[in-house]
Amino acid sequence: MGRVYIKTFGCQMNEYDSGKIRAQLQSAGFDATEDMADADVVIVNTCSVRDKPEQKLHSFLGRVLPQKRVRPVVVAVAGCVAQMDGDRIYKKYPNVDLVFGPDAVPRVREMLDAARTRRILDTEFLAGSDYPFPTDLDPTAAGKVGAFVTIQKGCDNKCTFCIVPATRGAEVSRPADEVIREVRALVDQGVREITLIGQNVNSYGLKVPGMPTFADLLRQVHDVPGVEVLRFTTSHPRDMGDDVIRCWAELPRLASHLHLPVQSGSDRVLRRMKRFYTRARYLEVVAGLRSARPEIALTTDVITGFPGETDADFEETMSLLEEVRFHASFSFRYSPRPGTPALRLEADAVPEEVAQRRLERFQSRQRQIQLEEHARLVGTTVRVLVEGPSAHDEGVVCGRTSTFKMVNFPAPAGLQGTHTHVRITRAFANTLRGELADQPAVL
């Protein structure tokens, strides 16, 4: 069938979708290539939650479309930008052959066949009962230590800043037996770390009577032989129940890390964002998590400059950072996204320079906290799952602790996929440096 080149801009869901596209096309006879100039089919899969992936899409198309003048190549745009702006992309780029949203991923083989003779735009959402979760395994998963497994698609929350409900549709939970089959298949290929992904994993199964809850699913995946580390993302604080929190006390292979987006430390801003929890409730969840697993590392998302955010509101976010001491965060200055309810709040827009100043202050303190937390580990011994050779240092391998800390240390590449004990010798804001140790790890 030819060679296919896939470029992904965006989040874990986009990465996962690209893997499923790659798997389906491989079973249809396509060979994957890392050289775009060598490809017969070029697919760019994009996110639209923030500006940069969308900007990268237009830059990417500016490079690939001229190739159609010298040789036949099918060009496709997929993902959330395609879902939101498919009509505009279809009209703006007449040389793009195929534009399709996330719900069309299971039909990629048929669409590419048809796109050889006519242009296609497919951004229809499927009804939840009709949604076929792709089951083909990403061929690049073989030989990797970790892999994503989707457990749901879409989102039913209406956060005013978020475009996901418009790009991925209503929430649909994947049948638990399908999830377990994929996990088993990945473990058979050598995967040791499983990350369950969804827009709001805590609400898994709640829409279907008799379906397992998310806590039930965690226990099922945890008990699959060969799963050595279990992670998940993303959680909504509103839906973080005690049954899930108890899993950290009862499931030893559940990683000591959780990404729990807070977005703001101000109740007033949280109401405007329609997050449906308070600062106090968020702190209750944090306290419960730390009671169940004292060493748990918490990371988060924060938006500065949301419409109407005052200096006092921002100080609430800064004080929350001090109280929780997040081990890392993804923080951004608010940017209006087409199709989001927050556009109705533009009369209360925060000046860009104010939002940027707040962001820089938050990020500066966050980096200091990260360095302080990492410095506490110097001289201790940690347990690391080795992911593979360092991309930058010869003779050095890298891996992560259960708390999601990246550790680089000199060691033979043959350790990939194994747990080993590493003594931490140096701390940086984003990584740790260490050396092989003989004594048991403390984390």
Side-chain angles (χ1 to χ4, degrees):
M1 295 292 293
R3 294 169 298 279
V4 59
Y5 175 90
I6 302 175
K7 183 67 175 179
T8 308
F9 299 120
C11 65
Q12 297 101 324
M13 296 298 292
N14 291 94
E15 293 286 353
Y16 184 83
D17 287 346
S18 289
K20 291 303 184 183
I21 292 170
R22 192 179 297 113
Q24 291 176 78
L25 296 185
Q26 183 188 60
S27 66
F30 284 90
D31 294 322
T33 178
E34 296 299 317
D35 182 2
M36 186 170 67
D38 188 45
D40 303 291
V41 174
V42 174
I43 301 173
V44 55
N45 185 16
T46 62
C47 175
S48 62
V49 173
R50 301 182 182 94
D51 282 330
K52 283 188 178 179
E54 189 169 349
Q55 294 168 3
K56 289 178 180 178
L57 163 67
H58 297 294
S59 174
F60 182 85
L61 290 176
R63 296 195 305 274
V64 68
L65 289 175
Q67 295 186 34
K68 292 176 70 76
R69 301 191 192 110
V70 296
R71 64 187 185 86
V73 55
V74 174
V75 177
V77 176
C80 297
V81 167
Q83 184 68 46
M84 281 297 295
D85 294 328
D87 235 11
R88 184 167 61 87
I89 293 169
Y90 193 79
K91 293 172 182 174
K92 181 176 180 179
Y93 297 102
N95 288 331
V96 169
D97 304 286
L98 170 61
V99 179
F100 64 100
D103 269 22
V105 167
R107 303 190 299 279
V108 66
R109 282 175 287 209
E110 305 94 283
M111 290 188 299
L112 277 179
D113 282 343
R116 295 181 183 280
T117 56
R118 60 184 175 87
R119 298 182 74 211
I120 294 176
L121 172 64
D122 189 337
T123 54
E124 294 295 318
F125 284 123
L126 299 179
S129 58
D130 297 331
Y131 188 77
F133 286 89
T135 58
D136 306 76
L137 287 184
D138 182 354
T140 66
K144 289 186 177 179
V145 175
F148 296 126
V149 176
T150 193
I151 66 169
Q152 63 184 184
K153 78 98 180 175
C155 184
D156 289 346
N157 291 308
K158 304 297 181 185
C159 303
T160 55
F161 57 82
C162 186
I163 203 169
V164 168
T167 60
R168 290 190 173 266
E171 182 181 295
V172 180
S173 293
R174 187 181 185 187
D177 57 346
E178 283 189 18
V179 174
I180 299 302
R181 277 199 299 272
E182 183 163 340
V183 170
R184 291 185 186 278
L186 289 166
V187 168
D188 288 344
Q189 289 189 346
V191 170
R192 294 291 171 259
E193 180 178 284
I194 296 294
T195 302
L196 305 179
I197 59 174
Q199 300 299 335
N200 180 17
V201 293
N202 298 98
S203 61
Y204 173 86
L206 296 183
K207 292 172 69 172
V208 181
M211 195 169 185
T213 65
F214 182 55
D216 295 333
L217 183 67
L218 282 176
R219 295 176 187 280
Q220 290 183 41
V221 176
H222 179 274
D223 290 341
V224 172
V227 174
E228 297 183 10
V229 180
L230 173 59
R231 304 184 188 275
F232 62 85
T233 193
T234 298
S235 283
H236 194 298
R238 179 191 65 179
D239 300 318
M240 177 61 79
D242 291 341
D243 58 341
V244 176
I245 291 175
R246 281 196 302 273
C247 289
W248 273 279
E250 299 169 359
L251 305 181
R253 290 184 294 282
L254 180 60
S256 298
H257 165 254
L258 175 65
H259 188 71
L260 191 65
V262 68
Q263 307 300 353
S264 173
S266 162
D267 285 346
R268 197 179 72 86
V269 174
L270 290 172
R271 285 194 298 271
R272 292 171 72 85
M273 290 178 169
K274 291 194 175 179
R275 292 290 286 172
F276 299 110
Y277 55 83
T278 63
R279 175 194 180 101
R281 171 56 187 157
Y282 187 90
L283 290 173
E284 284 178 8
V285 172
V286 169
L289 290 164
R290 287 176 170 165
S291 176
R293 185 75 66 86
E295 70 273 21
I296 195 168
L298 299 176
T299 57
T300 198
D301 294 342
V302 164
I303 296 172
T304 67
F306 189 77
E309 182 189 63
T310 65
D311 287 342
D313 291 324
F314 176 66
E315 291 303 327
E316 288 286 293
T317 298
M318 291 301 297
S319 67
L320 185 76
L321 173 60
E322 297 296 336
E323 188 166 354
V324 179
R325 290 184 66 87
F326 297 107
H327 284 234
S329 64
F330 295 98
S331 52
F332 302 89
R333 185 183 74 194
Y334 171 76
S335 60
R337 307 303 297 137
T340 59
L343 292 176
R344 297 194 295 267
L345 305 175
E346 283 304 290
D348 298 325
V350 174
E352 286 189 9
E353 63 273 15
V354 174
Q356 182 64 28
R357 189 163 59 245
R358 291 172 183 169
L359 176 64
E360 291 171 359
R361 183 180 160 204
F362 179 90
Q363 291 178 336
S364 175
R365 181 57 184 142
Q366 176 68 79
R367 282 192 296 272
Q368 291 174 355
I369 291 174
Q370 287 174 214
L371 186 55
E372 291 164 7
E373 294 297 325
H374 284 179
R376 294 179 182 181
L377 296 175
V378 173
T380 66
T381 299
V382 298
R383 188 169 182 256
V384 173
L385 178 59
V386 182
E387 295 182 357
S390 166
H392 308 291
D393 299 317
E394 189 174 350
V396 173
V397 300
C398 61
R400 291 193 185 273
T401 66
S402 179
T403 53
F404 208 59
K405 309 293 186 185
M406 176 60 73
V407 184
N408 296 287
F409 57 99
L415 287 178
Q416 179 173 331
T418 66
H419 276 98
T420 190
H421 298 155
V422 179
R423 180 178 173 274
I424 302 303
T425 57
R426 294 186 67 186
F428 305 94
N430 297 315
T431 62
L432 297 162
R433 185 81 179 194
E435 60 188 16
L436 286 171
D438 296 325
Q439 65 266 39
V442 296
L443 289 177

